[in-house]
Amino acid sequence: MSKSIDKALVEKIKENLDSVNQRIAQSAEKVGRDPSGIKLVAVTKLMPLDVILAGIEAGIRVFGENYPEQAAEKIASLDSEEEIEWHMIGHIQSRKADTVCNYFDMVHSLDRVKIARYLNRYAKEQNRILPVLIEVNLSGEKSKYGWDASSDEDWENLLGDFRKIAVYKNLNVRGLMTMPPLFEDPEKTRPIYKELTRLQYFLQENIPEANWDELSIGTSFDFHVAVEEGATIVRIGTEIFGPRTMH
């Protein structure tokens, strides 16, 4: 895989990974869920290639990146023989949609119809079907991306856009993603995750032709709460790799 992998870094990542997996399992079991139904995406945005190589050596197989061009360089540099999944979890600019289709296995951050149209077009050109999650904004914060779903009275207004996306032949809608505000107390994210589950049920009833099973919620800060509230995918960076300067 690589001539010089930092063995101490590998061991530290393994130790952190074990701890995170144990906490995911505890949170799942607390609410009667099977921990195997929760996918861990290791977030490596702004981290150098040697950290990713150490992560692969430590057993990580699913990575999340925020910036398409930076991720493309890392992915192209890997000569790993392992089957690695790459998830796009950051905001997508129109001009980067082709890069996303070229390099990523799944998109968590589909936040407008225009991007769905681009992704569908490029996926068709590549003769592939791209799994996507629709990003919603449940907090109403202006700094957050995604469809505004902060008032359930407005949920009916989402259906037109979501139905358009559901019929794209080269996109496969799998569920929802959201980013809550950054609270000091992770418990404060719980109401937002509960609301996301309500929205999930609403969409399952109103757009049954799409699959809404996946919920991408939870970060290093609050993943235990997210798991208790139904997360099927958690996006964790710091708790596995330490601060972004770790290399």
Side-chain angles (χ1 to χ4, degrees):
M1 182 193 297
S2 175
K3 301 183 183 88
S4 56
I5 295 175
D6 184 336
K7 296 299 181 187
L9 180 57
V10 172
E11 289 308 310
K12 184 61 180 170
I13 291 172
K14 269 186 184 172
E15 185 181 309
N16 292 344
L17 188 61
D18 286 345
S19 172
V20 166
N21 281 325
Q22 282 176 17
R23 284 182 282 164
I24 288 173
Q26 287 166 0
S27 297
E29 287 158 6
K30 181 178 173 183
V31 293
R33 296 185 64 198
D34 181 354
S36 69
I38 299 155
K39 176 174 278 192
L40 171 58
V41 176
V43 179
T44 48
K45 67 175 181 182
L46 303 178
M47 291 185 184
L49 187 63
D50 61 335
V51 173
I52 294 172
L53 290 169
I56 293 171
E57 186 74 6
I60 296 169
R61 294 294 176 269
V62 186
F63 291 89
E65 287 277 337
N66 287 59
Y67 307 109
E69 288 174 346
Q70 289 182 16
E73 288 179 19
K74 297 176 191 177
I75 296 166
S77 299
L78 284 173
D79 59 354
S80 170
E81 294 176 11
E82 304 291 348
E83 281 291 320
I84 306 298
E85 277 184 42
W86 292 93
H87 290 218
M88 178 62 193
I89 62 175
H91 179 64
I92 302 171
Q93 297 172 300
S94 303
R95 61 193 176 88
K96 306 286 179 66
D98 57 339
T99 303
V100 170
C101 274
N102 274 321
Y103 288 94
F104 287 90
D105 299 291
M106 186 171 188
V107 169
H108 291 224
S109 48
L110 176 52
D111 63 2
R112 55 208 192 279
V113 172
K114 179 182 178 182
I115 291 300
R117 190 169 67 247
Y118 278 120
L119 291 175
N120 182 67
R121 186 177 90 196
Y122 291 122
K124 184 178 181 181
E125 287 174 3
Q126 294 170 26
N127 195 29
R128 66 173 297 203
I129 294 174
L130 180 66
V132 297
L133 303 176
I134 291 179
E135 182 173 3
V136 292
N137 180 348
L138 286 162
S139 67
E141 282 185 296
K142 299 297 184 192
S143 60
K144 293 284 189 292
Y145 293 108
W147 274 268
D148 183 0
S150 54
S151 170
D152 57 7
E153 294 174 2
D154 295 329
W155 286 357
E156 290 280 346
N157 298 334
L158 304 175
L159 297 177
D161 281 354
F162 292 0
R163 285 191 180 109
K164 284 179 192 172
I165 295 168
V167 299
Y168 280 129
K169 289 185 167 49
N170 291 83
L171 300 183
N172 180 9
V173 175
R174 296 274 187 88
L176 299 167
M177 185 270 260
T178 198
M179 289 285 293
L182 187 58
F183 296 115
E184 284 189 20
D185 178 5
E187 279 298 321
K188 289 188 175 178
T189 64
R190 194 181 294 275
I192 289 173
Y193 294 155
K194 284 183 182 296
E195 195 71 353
L196 186 71
T197 303
R198 285 187 59 235
L199 176 58
Q200 179 187 38
Y201 293 151
F202 173 81
L203 294 171
Q204 285 169 338
E205 287 181 4
N206 286 278
I207 313 180
E209 62 271 26
N211 181 343
W212 301 101
D213 290 350
E214 302 284 2
L215 294 180
S216 173
I217 50 176
T219 63
S220 290
F221 164 72
D222 67 353
F223 68 88
H224 62 289
V225 172
V227 169
E228 289 172 13
E229 296 302 332
T232 61
I233 305 172
V234 290
R235 312 177 303 266
I236 300 177
T238 305
E239 286 292 299
I240 296 172
F241 301 107
R244 286 182 197 137
T245 53
M246 181 181 184
H247 61 282

